[in-house]
């Protein structure tokens, strides 16, 4: 059992468990960049997981399940968007309510689907070429879910949009200084609505990944707190998709290693480690000027009304 | 902004400051509206909504066993809620009441089982230890935020998980009770370390009284003292705070000592008033720390109002048991129910902060 | 000051009201209809522990025309008494089953509060005149599964994904390991704990960690089929646990453990109905039901003790048993199954001498373990590799 096999298995699990975290984080980054904190990830994710499982079971088409999950997540996020953007409600409370509602609804609706096997989960694929790279190849590019590769590809795309296009500038402007953006003719509400819905779509897809690939099965509450980890990862990633990828895979790797190393350290202590590490890393990077550049969007959690700043 | 969804004939003006009466009235209307929507679910399950609501209210308030369940749920919500109103006044997003509660429970257990203190000193020492542990857990994110600018939502949230694993480690490892035959619980507390309860209920009334007294004290502190004034200034206008020489570090640290400490007291109440031992963390916290966020928010950052809102959520939680036991409906309906009520309540914010009237042609 | 007086008055009123409620339940008269309440720790759809209890509830409800059942799912430890309050006062239950160790103290408190109601608590060790205990235990079945695992492993590494390191699991893992080592002294059982009864991500990553470790056969204690699914996805074999999980991986599930709580519930309720059990004579009633009472069964689905595709391999593997001589693993399993399943049990997995993994003699030669020492077992047998919190 050499170090290569340790690395390969850790990489493989980092990708497998990190993908739902990454998907959720990518979406939440967009929502928060526009100034809307959405603590309802868990609720949107479970609705997506439920929708994907039901659709896939009924039709045998897992990709249709993914699409429907995305739609359900997006529609469900509209509740939060309406409450926090149009009604200017407190975002923390609205997000908590969304989580509660989602967990409840999916639990009630999904009762008859519990414990059924799924015969057509998303399939695995190996990336030709890349899989030949030593260690990285068998770790990241061999026999993983196609959705995991898509999530990986989305990272540079979403990073580019956010930092190098007009759309990205607009989103960030709305999140940093909505009054100025408004005065420049940006429809603040519309941008925020769109970003929250993007967050919902991604959370829905993450849910689909869980119920029709990672598990694959349905039980109430099967998201098991992943939505909360996403909230943390978003901040941990400094609202940057690239760091979102690093954070998601890192967290997943630690989660997996907690089981591999259980021989030597008490399981509870190991499982607390990712959270301790996250705080330590935040402390580390907060030193010096780095922090100013990487702080939260200035208008995060603040509703915007013209002429009221 | 509101233009998106506002027809021309509506006129929306911002209210300067909503009065207590307006807040109360609008909240009641919102709750009634949510109950009307939730009635659809009852009807879908073939339960008459009217009889359903009657048995929920009856089950939570109609007899002593219902009232005792309501009060028992109210106690941790009250203590955590008061603490959170203080934090939210300083615009410190303490999502970590759950973890602070658990640390309070841990400290109380440590004192109860291992301190060797004589009987009469045990409970006071447990409350003191619980407050201190919760305060310590709360003050870490405070320092990290002020000194290093680290987001308070993430640190408090992360520290909930760490607290959870601390409890798990203790009950599986060093603190596992020899009398529990290998199961992951500590031993039972000695009688002197148990908070008196009313009858055979779980209502540990001294904690309840403590909570109500603290609500009054914190109200006075926040509204009538210089310290409270400084907290408000730091929350509402950090610039002004800096100019008037208020130390942000000191203020936020005090805020979180109080906020975490009060949650810690709630933890003491749970282990010394309900369980008499340390057990699985989710069984101790029951999500009280998260629900308390809503309790505090609904109280509009006013500690006195927390007495009412925590009671209301106590009723909701006890009513949830009725849905489950008496009506035999899926327990997840309770979440749907709570979620709906919350959305209608936050939706009603608009009607509090804005005056809406029909525009005359 | 006035406030304080008011508060004291309010407290006094509720106190009196509280006392008035106590003792409202009436004693059960044998031969009259029974309302039985079931309190579950998880959701009935957990596909594990609670699911199995609920299946049993439905069976007995159908079997006895004089029986009405109600259930409450997802009950927290701290809510035990309040839930029982409602079951007794509003649902008029005469018999209440509390189906988790977590409910032990609450059930005991409720038994004192309602001396005329009959209680039965699952998997605990505290009893009262009106509170019995019961348990359907798997350790014999785990031993039999261990025999199969030992014969079918190629890497000599067998994985076990446990929930919590409590005596029940320690007993099962040790019995399983004894089985493994009986047919394959070179094999080891690698244990990981998830510290959750149902957390699919934890179960999945723990299984993956064991796969990376080289394990190729899996057993587990989790309230979901996750381990079966993950093992199959990695081409590894597994045993089903609690509910029939054969259909989740028909080519990879060897056998498993199935429970029939209805056997215990039927027996208990019948004895309440005919007056054998009353609210005064349960102090020493403890069901510890195993294979011979039919409370547990070997298999991944009812009626299929071993997945047929593995039978040939088990028949072809010959071992030298110190007692039975040269024998195929398949015959060894059948022999041991017969010895334990038929009344007058002549074999026990923990038949001495049994040494723990630190080399201490735990069960002297020729001795069997008492129920008490089985239910409080802390040590691990030789062949178990992994953390063992609370190991003496």
């Amino acid at each position: 059992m050499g170090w290569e096999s340790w690395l390969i298995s850790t990489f493989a699990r980092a990708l497998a468990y990190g993908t739902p975290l990454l998907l959720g984080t990518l979406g939440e980054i967009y929502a928060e960049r526009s100034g809307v904190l959405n603590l309802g990830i868990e609720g949107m994710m479970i609705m997506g997981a439920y929708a994907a499982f039901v659709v896939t079971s009924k039709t045998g088409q897992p990709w249709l399940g993914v699409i429907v999950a995305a739609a359900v997540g997006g529609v469900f996020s509209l509740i939060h968007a309406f409450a926090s953007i149009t009604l200017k409600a407190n975002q923390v409370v609205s997000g908590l309510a969304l989580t509660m509602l989602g967990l409840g609804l999916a639990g009630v609706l999904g009762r008859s689907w519990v414990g059924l096997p799924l015969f057509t989960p998303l399939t695995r694929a190996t990336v030709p070429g890349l899989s030949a790279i030593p260690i990285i190849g068998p770790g990241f590019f061999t026999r993983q879910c196609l959705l995991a590769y898509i999530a990986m590809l989305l990272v540079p795309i979403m990073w580019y949009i956010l930092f190098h296009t007009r759309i990205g500038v607009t989103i960030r402007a709305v999140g940093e200084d909505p009054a100025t953006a408004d005065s420049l003719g940006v429809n603040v509400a519309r941008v925020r609505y769109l970003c929250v819905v993007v967050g919902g779509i991604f959370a829905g897809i993450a849910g689909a990944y869980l119920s029709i690939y990672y598990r694959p099965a349905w039980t109430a509450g099967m998201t098991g707190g992943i939505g909360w980890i996403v909230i943390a990862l978003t901040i941990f990633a400094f609202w940057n998709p690239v760091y979102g990828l690093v954070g998601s895979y890192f967290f997943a790797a630690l989660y997996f290693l907690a089981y591999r190393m259980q021989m030597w350290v008490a399981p509870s202590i190991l499982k607390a480690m990712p959270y301790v590490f996250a705080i330590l890393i935040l402390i580390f990077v907060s030193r010096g000027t780095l922090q100013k550049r990487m702080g939260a969007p200035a208008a995060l959690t603040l509703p915007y009304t013209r002429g009221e700043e | 902004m509101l233009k998106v969804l506002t027809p021309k004939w509506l006129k929306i003006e911002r209210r300067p400051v909503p009065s207590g009466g307006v807040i109360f009235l609008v909240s009641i209307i919102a709750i009634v509206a949510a109950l009307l929507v939730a009635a659809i679910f009852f009807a879908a399950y073939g339960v008459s909504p009217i009889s359903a609501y009657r048995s929920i209210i009856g089950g939570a308030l109609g007899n002593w066993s219902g009232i005792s369940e309501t009060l028992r749920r109210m106690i941790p919500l009250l203590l955590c809620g008061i603490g959170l109103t203080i934090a939210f006044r300083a615009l410190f997003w303490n999502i970590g009441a759950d973890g602070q509660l658990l640390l309070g429970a841990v400290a109380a257990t440590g004192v109860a089982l291992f301190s060797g203190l004589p009987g009469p000193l045990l409970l006071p020492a447990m409350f003191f230890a619980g407050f201190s542990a919760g305060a310590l857990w709360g003050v870490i994110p405070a320092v990290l935020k002020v000194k290093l600018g680290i987001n308070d939502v993430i640190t408090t949230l992360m520290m909930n998980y760490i607290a959870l694993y601390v409890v798990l480690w203790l009950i599986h490892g060093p603190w596992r009770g020899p009398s529990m035959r290998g199961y992951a619980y500590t031993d039972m507390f000695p009688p002197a370390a148990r908070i008196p309860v009313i009858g055979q209920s779980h209502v540990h009334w001294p904690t309840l009284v403590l909570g109500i007294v603290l609500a009054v004290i914190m109200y006075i502190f926040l509204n009538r003292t210089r310290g409270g004034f400084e907290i408000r200034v730091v929350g509402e206008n950090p610039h002004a705070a800096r100019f008037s020489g208020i130390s942000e570090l000191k203020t936020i640290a005090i805020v979180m000592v109080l906020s975490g400490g009060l949650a810690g007291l709630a933890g003491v109440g749970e282990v010394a008033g309900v369980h008499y031992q340390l057990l699985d963390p989710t069984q101790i916290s029951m999500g009280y720390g998260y629900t308390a966020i809503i309790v505090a928010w609904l109280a509009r950052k006013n500690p006195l109002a927390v007495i009412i809102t925590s009671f209301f959520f106590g009723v909701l939680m006890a009513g949830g048991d009725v849905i489950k036991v008496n009506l035999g409906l899926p327990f997840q309906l309770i979440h749907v129910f709570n979620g709906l009520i919350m959305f209608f309540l936050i939706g009603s914010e608009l009607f509090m902060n804005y005056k809406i009237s029909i525009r005359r042609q | 000051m006035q406030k304080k007086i008011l508060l004291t008055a309010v407290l006094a009123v509720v106190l009196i009201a509280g006392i008035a409620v106590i003792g409202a339940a009436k004693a059960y008269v044998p031969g009259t209809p029974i309302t039985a309440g079931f309190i579950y720790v998880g959701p009935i759809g957990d596909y594990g522990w609670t699911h199995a209890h609920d299946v049993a509830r439905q069976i007995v409800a159908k079997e006895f025309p004089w029986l009405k059942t109600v259930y409450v799912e997802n009950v927290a430890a701290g809510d035990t008494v309040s839930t029982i309050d409602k079951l007794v006062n509003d649902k008029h239950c005469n018999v209440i089953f509390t189906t988790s160790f977590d409910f032990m103290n609450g059930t005991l408190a409720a038994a004192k509060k309602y001396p005329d109601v009959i209680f039965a608590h699952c998997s605990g060790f505290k009893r009262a005149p009106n509170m019995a205990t019961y348990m359907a235990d798997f350790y014999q079945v785990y031993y039999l599964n261990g025999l199969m695992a030992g014969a079918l492993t190629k890497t000599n590494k067998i994985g076990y994904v446990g929930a919590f390191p409590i005596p029940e699991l320690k007993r099962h893992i040790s019995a399983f390991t004894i089985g493994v080592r009986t047919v394959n002294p070179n094999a080891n059982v690698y244990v990981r704990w998830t510290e959750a009864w149902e957390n699919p991500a934890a179960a999945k990553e723990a299984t993956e960690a064991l796969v990376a470790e080289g394990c190729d056969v899996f057993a587990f204690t989790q309230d979901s089929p996750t381990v079966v699914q993950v093992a199959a996805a990695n081409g590894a074999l597994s045993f089903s646990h609690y509910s029939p999980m054969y259909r989740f991986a028909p080519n990879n599930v060897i056998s498993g453990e199935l429970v029939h709580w209805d056997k215990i519930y039927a027996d208990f309720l019948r004895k309440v109905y005919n007056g054998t059990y009353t609210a005064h004579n349960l102090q020493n009633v403890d069901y510890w039901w195993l294979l011979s009472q039919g409370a547990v069964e070997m298999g991944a689905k009812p009626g299929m003790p071993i997945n047929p595709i593995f039978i040939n391999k088990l028949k072809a593997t010959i071992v030298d048993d110190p007692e039975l001589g040269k024998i195929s693993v398949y015959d060894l399993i059948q022999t041991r199954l017969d010895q334990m399943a038929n009344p007058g049990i002549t074999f026990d997995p923990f038949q001495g001498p049994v040494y723990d993994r630190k080399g201490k003699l735990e069960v002297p030669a020729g001795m069997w373990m008492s129920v008490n020492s089985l239910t409080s077992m802390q040590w691990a047998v030789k062949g178990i590799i992994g953390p063992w919190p609370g190991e003496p």
Side-chain angles (χ1 to χ4, degrees):
Chain A
M1 202 63 47
W3 59 274
E4 288 105 331
S5 94
W6 269 82
L7 276 182
I8 290 169
S9 63
T10 306
F11 287 163
R13 296 320 301 163
L15 186 64
Y17 183 52
T19 294
L21 298 174
L22 175 59
L23 284 165
T25 305
L26 286 176
E28 180 72 4
I29 285 173
Y30 268 56
E32 292 192 18
R33 276 285 181 181
S34 78
V36 184
L37 172 71
N38 189 351
L39 296 185
I41 300 282
E42 185 89 357
M44 304 187 295
M45 217 181 249
I46 194 90
M47 288 300 286
Y50 162 73
F53 189 82
V54 170
V55 169
T56 309
S57 296
K58 287 217 159 171
T59 65
Q61 303 289 332
W63 288 102
L64 187 64
V66 173
I67 291 165
V68 173
V72 167
V75 170
F76 203 61
S77 71
L78 280 173
I79 303 175
H80 179 66
F82 181 70
S84 58
I85 302 167
T86 304
L87 300 183
K88 303 173 201 314
N90 182 302
Q91 295 177 4
V92 173
V93 179
S94 167
L96 283 174
L98 194 70
T99 288
M100 233 181 239
L101 195 64
L103 287 172
L105 262 183
V108 171
L109 296 173
R111 282 175 78 81
S112 54
W113 295 92
V114 173
L116 301 176
L118 186 75
F119 296 107
T120 55
L122 288 170
T123 46
R124 300 173 179 214
T126 295
V127 182
L130 289 176
S131 60
I133 306 170
I135 295 177
I136 303 280
F140 282 117
F141 298 108
T142 307
R143 279 172 46 77
Q144 295 277 1
C145 180
L146 208 52
L147 206 50
Y149 302 130
I150 294 175
M152 208 190 271
L153 266 180
L154 279 169
V155 172
I157 296 172
M158 293 190 67
W159 171 82
Y160 186 82
I161 293 175
L162 195 56
F163 294 107
H164 296 279
T165 66
R166 256 194 84 84
I167 303 168
V169 172
T170 311
I171 291 172
R172 286 184 294 137
V174 166
E176 293 293 339
D177 188 353
T180 309
D182 187 21
S183 69
L184 293 172
V186 174
N187 186 334
V188 175
R190 188 188 295 162
V191 172
R192 287 187 169 176
Y193 259 92
L194 280 173
C195 287
V196 171
V197 170
V198 166
I201 289 172
F202 274 78
I205 298 174
Y209 181 92
L210 290 172
S211 71
I212 63 173
Y213 172 74
Y214 184 79
R215 273 268 335 234
W218 163 256
T219 41
M222 63 175 286
T223 42
I226 287 178
W228 295 108
I229 299 166
V230 164
I231 306 287
L233 281 172
T234 304
I235 305 166
F236 183 71
F238 305 106
W239 298 271
N240 180 334
V242 176
Y243 296 130
L245 177 134
V246 175
S248 300
Y249 291 176
F250 180 65
F251 186 94
L254 281 180
Y255 192 83
F256 169 74
L257 284 174
Y259 291 104
R260 282 221 74 176
M261 309 201 302
Q262 226 182 47
M263 295 278 277
W264 306 290
V265 192
S268 336
I269 291 176
L270 273 175
K271 281 206 235 154
M273 278 307 125
Y275 305 99
V276 176
F277 269 126
I279 293 178
L280 289 179
I281 286 174
L282 284 175
I283 292 172
F284 182 73
V285 297
S286 71
R287 290 152 173 281
T289 53
L290 217 58
Q291 188 245 322
K292 234 190 157 43
R293 210 154 39 83
M294 296 175 142
L300 187 62
T301 75
L302 302 178
Y304 171 70
T305 311
R306 185 175 291 171
E308 264 187 21
E309 295 313 300
Chain B
M1 257 263 300
L2 271 167
K3 267 188 207 148
V4 190
L5 290 145
T6 311
K8 281 218 169 66
W9 45 271
L10 273 183
K11 192 171 141 199
I12 300 176
E13 292 168 301
R14 188 155 181 112
R15 269 187 232 270
V17 178
S19 73
V22 170
I23 292 177
F24 191 73
L25 191 72
V26 173
S27 300
I28 295 289
I29 294 171
I31 289 168
V32 170
L35 296 184
L36 286 177
V37 174
I40 298 168
F41 283 91
F42 287 121
Y45 274 94
V47 177
S48 142
I50 294 169
S51 73
Y53 286 131
R54 193 180 294 149
S55 55
I56 288 171
I57 301 289
L61 295 169
N63 53 33
W64 164 242
S65 72
I67 294 169
S68 72
E69 278 309 291
T70 300
L71 291 179
R72 167 164 83 87
R73 262 56 181 269
M74 174 189 174
I75 296 169
L77 293 176
L78 173 64
L79 283 164
C80 292
I82 301 167
L84 291 180
T85 55
I86 303 166
F88 294 168
R89 278 219 187 183
L91 280 196
F92 190 93
W93 282 107
N94 180 11
I95 312 290
D98 233 47
Q100 292 143 17
L101 181 151
L102 287 176
L103 258 284
V106 164
T109 307
V111 172
L113 294 177
F114 310 111
S115 72
L117 283 174
L121 287 180
L122 260 184
L123 275 174
M126 284 161 69
F127 274 109
F128 180 76
F131 182 91
S132 310
L136 178 75
W137 212 244
V139 90
I140 295 171
V143 173
L144 291 179
K145 182 182 185 184
V146 179
K147 277 279 165 196
L148 301 172
I150 299 175
N151 187 292
D152 37 350
V153 174
I154 188 172
T155 42
T156 49
L157 187 64
M158 292 286 186
M159 287 180 73
N160 282 345
Y161 287 98
I162 299 173
L164 186 124
Y165 289 115
V166 166
V167 176
L168 272 177
W169 174 67
L170 286 171
I171 59 174
H172 281 286
W175 283 11
R176 184 195 341 229
S179 71
M180 296 311 290
R181 299 209 187 173
Y183 285 90
Y185 297 79
T186 64
D187 281 336
M188 302 291 282
F189 291 4
R194 299 181 184 188
I195 306 171
V197 292
I198 303 173
Q200 287 183 317
S201 72
H202 286 306
V203 183
H204 38 112
W205 60 269
T207 325
L208 180 60
V209 174
L210 179 71
I212 291 169
V213 170
L214 283 172
V216 176
I217 292 174
M218 287 304 151
Y219 177 81
I220 295 168
F221 168 70
L222 284 176
N223 295 299
R224 303 268 188 277
T225 68
R226 184 165 171 81
F229 171 74
E230 288 183 358
I231 288 172
R232 270 186 298 159
V233 175
V234 167
E236 282 158 24
N237 198 338
H239 270 291
R242 236 160 281 149
F243 278 117
S244 52
I246 298 171
S247 159
E248 201 190 348
L249 179 64
K250 198 181 119 200
T251 311
I252 297 287
I254 290 173
V255 161
M256 282 309 291
V257 162
L258 291 173
S259 190
L262 283 160
L265 290 180
V268 180
E270 291 310 292
V271 289
V274 178
H275 300 288
Y276 307 133
Q277 63 187 166
L278 195 67
L279 66 168
D280 188 83
T282 56
Q283 301 272 4
I284 302 171
S285 81
M286 301 287 297
Y288 287 131
Y290 293 98
T291 311
I293 296 170
I294 306 153
V295 167
W297 168 80
L298 193 57
R300 315 288 146 174
K301 306 179 189 175
N302 176 350
L304 275 184
V306 173
I307 299 175
I308 299 167
T309 55
S310 61
F311 180 77
F312 174 69
F313 271 86
V315 171
L316 273 188
M317 289 179 96
D321 283 358
V322 177
I323 294 182
K324 208 161 72 171
V325 186
N326 298 58
L327 302 177
L329 297 176
F331 71 93
Q332 288 102 341
L333 266 184
I334 301 156
H335 298 305
V336 177
F337 213 69
N338 289 351
L340 280 174
I341 289 178
M342 280 162 64
F343 271 118
F344 276 87
L345 282 170
I346 48 184
S348 72
E349 285 258 272
L350 181 76
F351 296 93
M352 286 173 201
N353 297 324
Y354 297 84
K355 198 172 158 197
I356 298 172
S357 52
I358 293 171
R359 201 190 289 272
R360 300 220 175 124
Q361 297 294 338
Chain C
M1 203 60 229
Q2 256 183 340
K3 250 187 191 165
K4 240 184 184 168
I5 295 167
L6 192 73
L7 196 75
T8 322
V10 170
L11 286 177
V13 168
V14 290
L15 193 78
I16 293 160
I19 291 163
V21 169
I22 298 161
K26 277 189 221 109
Y28 173 71
V29 180
T32 59
I34 293 177
T35 305
F38 291 74
I39 298 183
Y40 301 142
V41 70
I44 49 174
D46 67 355
Y47 219 70
W49 178 264
T50 296
H51 181 76
H53 281 280
D54 198 59
V55 167
R57 177 188 65 81
Q58 292 171 32
I59 291 173
V60 290
K62 222 177 259 174
E63 188 177 342
F64 301 131
W66 38 263
L67 179 69
K68 201 182 129 200
T69 63
V70 284
Y71 71 88
V72 193
E73 53 181 339
N74 254 52
V75 174
D79 297 345
T80 317
V81 178
S82 63
T83 306
I84 291 173
D85 281 339
K86 290 192 180 65
L87 286 178
V88 172
N89 297 322
D90 303 337
K91 292 285 175 183
H92 312 291
C93 290
N94 331 86
V95 180
I96 289 172
F97 297 102
T98 52
T99 66
S100 164
F101 185 85
D102 285 344
F103 302 144
M104 184 168 69
N105 291 328
T107 310
L108 195 66
K112 287 208 179 91
K113 188 170 176 180
Y114 300 107
D116 290 327
V117 176
I118 292 171
F119 292 91
H121 173 239
C122 183
S123 77
F125 55 82
K126 290 183 183 169
R127 278 181 292 277
N130 59 333
M131 174 180 168
T133 48
Y134 64 99
M135 180 71 182
D137 199 76
F138 279 143
Y139 77 96
Q140 299 167 322
V141 185
Y142 268 109
Y143 164 81
L144 296 169
N145 287 341
L147 295 174
M148 304 174 207
L152 293 172
T153 177
K154 294 192 180 87
T155 59
N156 283 347
K157 289 180 174 179
I158 291 155
Y160 197 109
V161 180
F164 292 99
I166 56 175
E168 180 189 338
L169 271 78
K170 290 177 173 176
R171 172 172 76 240
H172 292 170
I173 298 169
S174 280
F176 181 73
T177 308
I178 290 173
V180 167
R181 285 268 176 138
T182 301
V183 298
N184 187 347
N186 297 319
N188 289 308
V189 175
Y190 290 71
V191 178
R192 291 293 181 274
W193 307 102
T194 61
E195 290 189 336
W197 293 112
E198 202 222 346
N199 181 339
K204 177 142 184 164
E205 297 309 325
T207 313
E208 291 283 359
L210 289 167
V211 168
E213 208 70 54
C215 297
D216 65 347
V217 181
F218 284 86
F220 64 97
T221 313
Q222 291 284 316
D223 282 341
S224 74
T226 305
V227 177
V228 167
Q229 291 173 301
V230 177
N234 285 290
L237 308 179
S238 63
F239 295 94
S240 155
H241 177 70
Y242 242 91
S243 290
M245 295 173 179
Y246 169 75
R247 57 188 173 154
F248 283 90
N251 294 321
N252 298 69
V253 174
I254 306 162
S255 177
E257 312 92 40
L258 295 166
V259 71
H260 299 287
W261 289 108
D262 51 289
K263 302 278 189 244
I264 294 179
Y265 289 137
D267 188 79
F268 191 86
L269 288 165
R270 207 180 285 122
K271 285 178 175 157
V272 172
Y273 185 69
N274 69 22
T276 313
Y277 290 158
T278 69
H280 309 286
N281 64 2
L282 301 179
Q283 186 72 55
N284 296 315
V285 173
D286 176 30
Y287 283 70
W288 173 255
W289 278 23
L290 309 166
L291 276 170
S292 65
Q293 291 94 346
V296 296
E297 180 187 343
M298 182 180 83
K301 69 173 185 184
M304 187 188 78
I306 302 173
N307 186 342
I309 60 174
F310 296 103
I311 289 179
N312 283 340
K313 178 84 202 286
L314 293 173
K315 280 184 174 158
T317 312
I318 308 294
V319 291
D320 196 3
D321 189 87
E323 184 192 326
L324 303 166
K326 286 223 182 292
I327 184 169
S328 81
V329 173
Y330 184 81
D331 291 335
L332 179 62
I333 293 165
Q334 295 306 330
T335 309
R336 294 307 186 205
L337 181 59
D338 288 344
Q339 285 178 310
M340 294 190 287
N342 296 329
I345 303 164
T346 52
F347 175 80
D348 190 88
F350 291 107
Q351 203 157 270
V354 181
Y355 293 87
D356 68 20
R357 65 176 181 179
K358 289 179 172 169
K360 187 174 162 240
L361 180 68
E362 294 284 356
V363 189
M367 302 284 280
W368 286 14
M369 287 175 76
S370 68
V371 173
N372 235 343
S373 48
L374 280 171
T375 53
S376 57
M377 188 171 159
Q378 287 292 355
W379 43 272
V381 297
K382 231 187 199 46
I384 293 174
I385 296 178
W388 207 256
E391 185 168 14

